[in-house]
Amino acid sequence: MLKVELHAHTDLDPADRITHSTTDLIDRAAALGYGAIAVTLHDRYFDPAPWNAYARERGVVLLAGIERTIAHRHILLINFPPSCAAVRSFDDVRRLKAETGGLVIAPHPYYPVRSALQSLLDAHASLFDAVELNAMYTTRLDFNRRAIAWARARGTPLVGNTDLHLLDQLGTTYTMVDAPADADSICKAIRHGQIEVRTEPLTELQAGLIFGQMWLGGVLGAVRGARGS
């Protein structure tokens, strides 16, 4: 079984200001026993090739990914070719998926953010191979409950992700995947539900600190984008 994270950002992200590099992420993941990480930058394709050797030496498989914005909502495209960065509609994603066999995940679908899929998850239910159980929750406040119910009702696999913007997020929620250590096998196993989500709620203090830092990173990223740097 491989310990896997399928929703992670690095300092290559064009939208948010994130301080850790791809190598920092690999090092942290390796230290915590992860076997695979998908880097999913906002609307920028991540090609793992420049870091593959570094990751392999540390026992980590890097998966290509992107957190693509479609109709103002986010979806995760994992193990797709670079052309996935150009998709503009759910139909575009459906066609590309049929051609390439990439993995489509619904991230934080019912969280109270503009980028959450909400009703569009129902409208395009057949497109999604898995639904995210997001690590940002506490015992008293948990926006994952509707996603869990939706996935169970339809027999769609649940995957545990952190939506990592800070290295300290790694470890509380993740997916164990019963697959060999290569991208295609990992995606196939997830699609067939050969997985187990392991998760524990954050304390309110942890959640507050993480949310505050993520919010600040988003603000700084927007300022950077406005300045064109």
Side-chain angles (χ1 to χ4, degrees), residues 205-218:
L205 177 59
Q206 286 175 313
L209 290 172
I210 291 170
F211 177 79
Q213 291 179 77
M214 290 176 67
W215 176 84
L216 180 59

Side-chain angles (χ1 to χ4, degrees), residues 149-223:
W150 190 96
R152 287 176 176 168
R154 290 161 179 79
T156 303
L158 275 169
V159 291
N161 291 331
T162 62
D163 189 2
L164 184 143
H165 288 61
L166 309 165
L167 292 179
D168 286 345
Q169 290 176 261
L170 272 182
T172 60
T173 295
Y174 52 89
T175 309
M176 298 298 294
V177 181
D178 187 8
D182 69 81
D184 290 340
S185 296
I186 291 167
C187 291
K188 181 179 179 181
I190 292 168
R191 192 175 288 111
H192 290 120
Q194 296 167 216
I195 55 177
E196 176 186 333
V197 173
R198 297 187 182 175
T199 184
E200 59 185 47
L202 301 175
T203 67
E204 292 183 7
L205 177 59
Q206 286 175 313
L209 290 172
I210 291 170
F211 177 79
Q213 291 179 77
M214 290 176 67
W215 176 84
L216 180 59
V219 171
L220 294 174
V223 170

